[in-house]
Amino acid sequence: MLTYDKHYYDGAWQTSTATETIAVVSSATEEAIARVPRGTAEDVDRAVKAARRGFESWRRLSVEERAQWLEKLAAAMKTRAPQIAEAIAHEVGTALGFATKVQAEFPIMMIGMNAKFIRDIKLEEELGNSIVVKEPIGVVGCVTPWNYPLHQIVCKIAPAFAAGCTVVLKPAEMAPLSAFFLAEAAHEIGLPNGVFNLVSGSGRVVGEAIVGHPEVDMVSFTGSLQAGRRIASVAGDGIKKVTLELGGKSAFVVLDDAPFDKAIPAGVNNCMQNSGQTCSAWTRMIVPRSRHDEAVELAKAQLAKLTLGDPFDKNTRLGPLASAGQRDTVLEYIEKGKNEGAQLVAGGGKPAQLPKGFYVEPTIFANVDNKMTVAQEEIFGPVLSIIPYDSDDQAIAIANDSPYGLAGGVWAGTQERAMDVAKQMRTGQVDINGGRFNVLAPFGGYKKSGIGREIGPLAVEEFFQLKSIQR
Ligand code: NAD
């Protein structure tokens, strides 16, 4: 059992004022694999003060020096990639192969990319008789979720460091280990004191203490709508900048001239990625009524290829869900779908062959009405709703009839037709005709999916203040 009994701040491992710990549970075995401290507001106060002291020197480093620290950090994390992937396969249930690429190697690469971003950003601009200067905003409080734990952390800390900010991080209770590995890497390379500070604990205690701390200048949060609301109000009280990356209920619009044999499997894979525990998942597949049954058959055939099982088995595509609570929530949504009249065409319960671990069968509902709960609320599990439409305008209206607007997809017979629909969708990202994820493109939400953007060079700008100097 891996046991951490200290937080990391001021460039050192520090004894927690907490007496309690949090158990980190494997989603496959249901056994505790690690423990981390359940921190207190006192721990947060010490960490924020360290971050404030650290900020005074970190912001004065040259861009080149900060870029080099990011590259050193990426290199130190690279040696930890197998350890990170294994921990996240346990914590989240992500299949090990996917965890290695997407949960470990990808965010590690993003740390290094931020070095390039900051080298290329113009920090001063002349406007009339003014020089407009981009300055780091200060101490950033980062609060992150469990589904892509290291990725969510890197999306905040790497651009913050690049911009010249220092951070205090609280990782998710269910998946905190990669944050501790990051602290070990920061310590190993001798990252200057107070730049990276880590306090583990609950959202209510540690999270709120960070958000409300008067020495925290900005809050960068990823998580649920419910917690985001609370965080925005606490931060608002302190007149702090807040970025929120919240939930999603993203739509994949398949037009009648699309190649269904390509589009439908791509849509199923997108929805089921990480067992549906993905904020940007296309959980609503919107298909022409005339081709609905064909889409259902193709979706079922694709689903049958996604083997459910132990995340450490190399044949597994879909692992368990992250916790018993998450599994029970998803099962409740499936029951709601059945009760509200959605047609269950695949999955629908706990898999009998996997009695241990928090497994849910990947599930498809067909003939779903967009007003049903399964089409309106974020389920955060392997549940796809197939929704029929009668005209392109109706398809767009259904796609936009959601409180959320995080991601989405369109597949049409031509790029022009897909582009036309994409531009009418009120959402932060749209992939057309199989367009791939782009690590340079800003990511974030319209509507209740959030405020602000992460990823790519534009995300670094979130961590600046603008100062105008007139001559
Ligand atoms: P959550 O909101 O329960 O928790 C997220 C983090 O916030 C955790 O660290 C938690 O301890 C903390 N927290 C909770 N209440 C808090 C409070 N009052 N003050 C301060 N901190 C608090 O979310 P989760 O269950 O960990 O993650 C799943 C959610 O995250 C989903 O809704 C998903 O869509 C969303 N998400 C969004 C994105 C995105 O980029 N938009 C990415 C991943 C996940």
Side-chain angles (χ1 to χ4, degrees):
M1 165 109 61
L2 201 53
T3 305
Y4 288 99
D5 59 358
K6 292 186 167 69
H7 302 293
Y8 186 79
Y9 52 83
D10 218 3
W13 291 98
Q14 313 275 0
T15 303
S16 176
T17 61
T19 49
E20 288 176 43
T21 58
I22 297 174
V24 182
V25 174
S26 167
S27 52
T29 65
E30 305 186 23
E31 314 270 332
I33 54 158
R35 302 198 82 89
V36 299
R38 187 179 286 281
T40 65
E42 172 65 30
D43 295 324
V44 170
D45 185 54
R46 294 177 188 181
V48 171
K49 285 178 176 148
R52 174 59 57 192
R53 288 191 296 275
F55 176 62
E56 290 313 318
S57 40
W58 183 248
R59 72 188 174 96
R60 290 193 176 87
L61 294 190
S62 69
V63 161
E64 184 50 34
E65 283 171 310
R66 288 204 300 269
Q68 286 179 13
W69 279 117
L70 280 163
E71 285 166 346
K72 279 188 211 161
L73 187 61
M77 286 296 278
K78 213 167 174 181
T79 63
R80 292 169 167 81
Q83 184 191 15
I84 294 164
E86 193 186 325
I88 296 178
H90 276 299
E91 291 172 325
V92 184
T94 312
L96 188 63
F98 187 72
T100 301
K101 285 201 180 69
V102 174
Q103 299 274 27
E105 292 171 358
F106 177 70
I108 292 170
M109 178 197 74
M110 287 217 309
I111 299 175
M113 285 189 82
N114 276 272
K116 174 171 169 31
F117 299 157
I118 193 63
R119 284 187 180 114
D120 292 346
I121 288 175
K122 220 170 130 193
L123 292 174
E124 288 191 12
E125 203 174 320
E126 284 195 32
L127 264 181
N129 67 321
S130 301
I131 299 179
V132 179
V133 187
K134 291 175 182 167
E135 295 189 340
I137 197 162
V139 175
V140 182
C142 303
V143 179
T144 54
W146 49 263
N147 59 332
Y148 290 88
L150 182 62
H151 170 77
Q152 316 296 350
I153 290 169
V154 166
C155 282
K156 301 177 183 325
I157 63 135
F161 292 168
C165 297
T166 57
V167 308
V168 178
L169 166 70
K170 188 205 90 66
E173 297 91 310
M174 260 148 57
L177 294 177
S178 43
F180 282 83
F181 303 157
L182 187 62
E184 287 170 348
H187 193 68
E188 181 181 288
I189 63 166
L191 190 71
N193 293 358
V195 174
F196 177 69
N197 305 281
L198 166 68
V199 180
S200 56
S202 74
R204 274 280 161 200
V205 176
V206 172
E208 286 216 22
I210 292 174
V211 176
H213 198 291
E215 290 285 339
V216 168
D217 300 289
M218 169 180 168
V219 176
S220 177
F221 171 73
T222 300
S224 62
L225 172 59
Q226 192 190 13
R229 254 195 198 111
R230 170 79 190 149
I231 284 167
S233 82
V234 173
D237 204 47
I239 320 293
K240 291 177 192 182
K241 176 166 179 178
V242 190
T243 59
L244 303 172
E245 294 285 341
L246 307 177
K249 192 73 201 177
S250 296
F252 176 38
V253 178
V254 187
L255 296 183
D256 53 6
D257 59 352
F260 272 40
D261 57 332
K262 285 201 188 98
I264 304 298
V268 171
N269 288 347
N270 181 296
C271 175
M272 297 296 163
Q273 187 167 292
N274 204 23
S275 293
Q277 304 172 115
T278 302
C279 54
S280 56
W282 301 344
T283 48
R284 295 182 297 146
M285 182 183 279
I286 303 177
V287 301
R289 195 178 301 279
S290 59
R291 297 187 73 179
H292 170 271
D293 295 354
E294 185 191 342
V296 170
E297 288 314 311
L298 285 165
K300 279 164 59 180
Q302 182 60 23
L303 197 70
K305 294 182 187 162
L306 306 181
T307 313
L308 180 69
D310 182 343
F312 293 96
D313 181 332
K314 68 175 180 0
N315 296 319
T316 294
R317 283 288 295 275
L318 305 180
L321 301 187
S323 67
Q326 191 63 22
R327 175 197 57 201
D328 295 345
T329 306
V330 173
L331 291 173
E332 276 169 35
Y333 272 115
I334 292 173
E335 283 312 303
K336 264 189 200 152
K338 291 182 200 164
N339 294 339
E340 290 180 16
Q343 184 192 343
L344 182 70
V345 294
K350 280 190 206 174
Q353 76 280 16
L354 294 162
K356 206 167 190 107
F358 309 126
Y359 292 93
V360 173
E361 290 175 317
T363 296
I364 301 178
F365 283 113
N367 272 313
V368 173
D369 184 315
N370 198 53
K371 297 277 177 259
M372 290 175 184
T373 308
V374 288
Q376 283 294 314
E377 294 185 16
E378 185 182 50
I379 300 175
F380 229 55
V383 183
L384 174 67
S385 293
I386 302 182
I387 305 171
Y389 68 82
D390 294 306
S391 67
D392 289 8
D393 284 349
Q394 194 192 12
I396 295 161
I398 293 170
N400 287 336
D401 177 18
S402 168
Y404 296 108
L406 187 58
V410 183
W411 210 308
T414 63
Q415 287 288 100
E416 294 69 33
R417 220 179 147 207
M419 183 66 81
D420 180 51
V421 173
K423 285 188 173 170
Q424 296 181 67
M425 285 166 71
R426 300 206 59 226
T427 188
Q429 285 225 341
V430 191
D431 302 342
I432 63 170
N433 292 357
R436 281 176 302 117
F437 183 81
N438 176 5
V439 70
L440 300 175
F443 180 94
Y446 280 39
K447 300 191 270 181
K448 291 193 172 54
S449 288
I451 304 171
R453 293 293 180 267
E454 292 191 328
I455 303 182
L458 293 172
V460 179
E461 308 274 341
E462 296 278 3
F463 298 90
F464 290 134
Q465 282 279 24
L466 297 181
K467 179 183 280 174
S468 302
I469 302 171
Q470 287 65 242
R471 294 170 291 180

